[in-house]
C-alpha cells in the first residue's frame, strides 16, 4: 500500500538553496518537528514518530537514535547558540540529558559495550554492533565540540574499546558485530567502517588529536581503494571474515532495510564526502593526499550516473552488476553493465548526496556539482520535505509515493538531513 505525498505544486516557494539563510531556516524547521516532543522527562528521547509528530512507541530505545539526538542538539547549539543564549542553554541541557541516558542505560559496565536496543529501560538486544559504537564516538565528539568536557575522557575510553575489541590490524578495518561477551560473527561490512570514519573525523575536529585523523585516513584508504578494487572501483556492502566481497549476502533480500544487497549510491556519495573532509584536514596539516579528490569525484559521478531517476527524479537506492543478476529483478541501466535492484527513494541518500555535491563544487571549482546540488535539493524540496508538519519523509517509491505514515522510526531523527545543512553551511563559510 502506498500513500500519495503532497503533489509538486504544493511545495512552497523557497530562497536560494545555496544561501545560509535558507539552510539555517531549514534546520530550525526540522528541529521544530522534534523539539521538545522528543524529550522523555524520564530519560533519553522518544524514538518513534508519525508524520504529524505523534509518538507511537514510548518504551523502545535504539542506540542509533539515542546517539543521533545528541548530535542534533549539539550541532544546533553550536549553530544558533551565539545569537540566542537561552536556546543554547536549552539545547545543551538536552545534550546532557541524552548523554546521561547513553551512559546510564545503554552502556554495559560489564562488557564495556553499549546495548543495541532497550525496552522500558532494560537491555533488549545486547549485540555489540560496530555501527552503534561509531555513533557513540560521534555523539561524544560533537558534545565535546559543543563544550561538554567530560566527553574527552569518555572518548579515550571508547578508543580503547574500539582498538581492543573491534579493530583488526591485519586488515586495517573494524569487524562488525559480536555477542555481549565479544564473540564476533564472520560478517564484515563497509557501513560500520564508513560511519567510523565519519566519527573519527568528528573526534579529530573536537579534540585535535592526530590519532583520529590518521585512523580516518586508514579507513578511507582501505575501503575506497583496496576494497573497492574488488568491485571495479565501487564500494560493495558486504564481506566475509577475510574481507573478501560476499556477493551472495542478502541476494535473496535486496531491499533489506539495514543490509541491502548491491551497491548503495548513497554510500558511494557519503564516502565521497568523507574523502573531501579528509582532504581539507590533511591539507591544513601539511599532509596532502593527492588521490582523495579524484577518488571522491569518481565515486560521486558513478553513483549519480547510475542511480538518478530520469523520469521521477531523485536517486534510487541500489544497483548491481548485470553479471550478478541471476534471479534478482530490476531494470537494466543504459551502460549495459548494471541494473537497478532497489528503485525506492530514501531520504538520507538525497541529503548525503547534496552535501557531497556542495563539497565537490568547492573542491574542484566545477559548476556541474552545484548543478547537481540544486537538482537534488529541488527534488527533496518537492517530494521529501514535509512542508506541513516538518522533517523529511523517510522512504518513497519510484513514483514518489509514501509507503506509510511513519515519519521517523528508530534510527532516523533527521540527523542526515540537518547534518547535510550543517555540512553545506561549512562549505559556504569556507568559500566566503
Amino acid at each position: 500500500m502506498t500513500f500519495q505525498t503532497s503533489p509538486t505544486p504544493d511545495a512552497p516557494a523557497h530562497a536560494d538553496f545555496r544561501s545560509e539563510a535558507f539552510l539555517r531556516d531549514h534546520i530550525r524547521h526540522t528541529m521544530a518537528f522534534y523539539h521538545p516532543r522528543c524529550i522523555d522527562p524520564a530519560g533519553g528521547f522518544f524514538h518513534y514518530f508519525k508524520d504529524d509528530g505523534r509518538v507511537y512507541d514510548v518504551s523502545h530505545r535504539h542506540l542509533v537514535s539515542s546517539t543521533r539526538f545528541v548530535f542534533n542538539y549539539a550541532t544546533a547549539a553550536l549553530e544558533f547558540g551565539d545569537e540566542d543564549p537561552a536556546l543554547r542553554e536549552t539545547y545543551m541541557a538536552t545534550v546532557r540529558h541524552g548523554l546521561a541516558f547513553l551512559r546510564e542505560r545503554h552502556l554495559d559496565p560489564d562488557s564495556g559495550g553499549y546495548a543495541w536496543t532497550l525496552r522500558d529501560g532494560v537491555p533488549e538486544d545486547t549485540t555489540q554492533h560496530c555501527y552503534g559504537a561509531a555513533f557513540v564516538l560521534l555523539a561524544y565528539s560533537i558534545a565535546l565540540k559543543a563544550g561538554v568536557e567530560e566527553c574527552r575522557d569518555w572518548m579515550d575510553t571508547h578508543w580503547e574499546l574500539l582498538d581492543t575489541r573491534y579493530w583488526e590490524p591485519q586488515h586495517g578495518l573494524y569487524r562488525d558485530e559480536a555477542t555481549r561477551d565479544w564473540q564476533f560473527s564472520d560478517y564484515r561490512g563497509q557501513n560500520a567502517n564508513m560511519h567510523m570514519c565519519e566519527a573519527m573525523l568528528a573526534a579529530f575536529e573536537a579534540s585535535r588529536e592526530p590519532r583520529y585523523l590518521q585512523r580516518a585516513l586508514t579507513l578511507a584508504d582501505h575501503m575506497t581503494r583496496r576494497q573497492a578494487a574488488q568491485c571495479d572501483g565501487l564500494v560493495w556492502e558486504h564481506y566475509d571474515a577475510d574481507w573478501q566481497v560476499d556477493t551472495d549476502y542478502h541476494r535473496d533480500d535486496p531491499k533489506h532495510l539495514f543490509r541491502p544487497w548491491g551497491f548503495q549510491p548513497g554510500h558511494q556519495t557519503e564516502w565521497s564526502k568523507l574523502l573531501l573532509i579528509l582532504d581539507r584536514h590533511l591539507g591544513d596539516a601539511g599532509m596532502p593526499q593527492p588521490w582523495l579528490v579524484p577518488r571522491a569525484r569518481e565515486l560521486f559521478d558513478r553513483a549519480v550516473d547510475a542511480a538518478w531517476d530520469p523520469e521521477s527524479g531523485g536517486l534510487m537506492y541500489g544497483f548491481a552488476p548485470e553479471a550478478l543478476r541471476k534471479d534478482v529483478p530490476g531494470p537494466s541501466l543504459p551502460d549495459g553493465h548494471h541494473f537497478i535492484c532497489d528503485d525506492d527513494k530514501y531520504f538520507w541518500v538525497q541529503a548525503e548526496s547534496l552535501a557531497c555535491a556542495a563539497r565537490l563544487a568547492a573542491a574542484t571549482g566545477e559548476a556541474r556539482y552545484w548543478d547537481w546540488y540544486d537538482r537534488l535539493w529541488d527534488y527533496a524540496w518537492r517530494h521529501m520535505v514535509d512542508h506541513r508538519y516538518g522533517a523529511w519523509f523517510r522512504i518513497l517509491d519510484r513514483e514518489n509515493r509514501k509507503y506509510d505514515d511513519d515519519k521517523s522510526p528508530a534510527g532516523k531523527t533527521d540527523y542526515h538531513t540537518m547534518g547535510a545543512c550543517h555540512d553545506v553551511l561549512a562549505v559556504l563559510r569556507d568559500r566566503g
Side-chain angles (χ1 to χ4, degrees), residues 236 238 245-253 261 324 326:
W236 191 259
H238 313 297
V245 166
D246 185 347
T247 57
D248 287 326
Y249 189 88
H250 281 170
R251 179 195 295 276
D252 60 344
D253 188 11
W261 182 79
L324 298 179
K326 294 185 181 177

Side-chain angles (χ1 to χ4, degrees), residues 25-46:
D25 284 346
H26 190 65
I27 296 170
R28 290 191 189 97
H29 190 253
T30 306
M31 281 293 291
F33 176 82
Y34 292 100
H35 180 74
R37 65 165 59 96
C38 69
I39 302 170
D40 182 354
F45 305 96
F46 299 115

Side-chain angles (χ1 to χ4, degrees), residues 198-350:
E198 172 194 28
M200 292 292 166
L201 289 169
F204 172 72
E205 292 172 358
S207 70
R208 312 312 294 183
E209 293 187 29
R211 66 181 178 180
Y212 295 118
L213 185 60
Q214 183 57 56
R215 183 58 57 85
L217 175 60
T218 299
L219 293 171
D221 187 8
H222 289 169
M223 281 306 317
T224 69
R225 293 210 289 180
R226 186 190 71 199
Q227 296 304 121
Q230 298 183 40
C231 289
D232 190 32
L234 293 174
V235 181
W236 191 259
E237 293 294 308
H238 313 297
Y239 301 82
D240 64 21
D242 295 319
W243 280 100
Q244 297 301 300
V245 166
D246 185 347
T247 57
D248 287 326
Y249 189 88
H250 281 170
R251 179 195 295 276
D252 60 344
D253 188 11
K255 291 194 174 191
H256 189 277
L257 184 59
F258 297 109
R259 292 179 178 176
W261 182 79
F263 294 120
Q264 292 278 284
H267 285 157
Q268 314 303 314
T269 62
E270 203 166 353
W271 266 119
S272 177
K273 183 190 79 170
L274 296 175
L275 296 182
L276 296 167
I277 297 172
L278 259 174
D279 180 67
R280 178 169 57 86
H281 286 315
L282 290 168
D284 290 345
M287 300 183 296
Q289 296 284 318
W291 63 272
L292 287 166
V293 173
R295 190 74 189 99
R297 182 192 284 113
E298 181 185 7
L299 287 172
F300 180 91
D301 289 351
R302 293 182 65 180
V304 298
D305 285 349
W308 181 259
D309 184 347
E311 298 172 2
S312 303
L315 292 172
M316 294 177 280
Y317 199 52
F319 68 101
E322 284 282 3
L324 298 179
R325 178 189 283 272
K326 294 185 181 177
D327 56 351
V328 179
S332 297
L333 291 174
D335 68 2
H337 301 295
H338 296 89
F339 71 100
I340 296 294
C341 55
D342 188 341
D343 60 7
D344 287 340
K345 318 288 177 60
Y346 278 66
F347 80 102
W348 68 266
V349 177
Q350 324 307 319

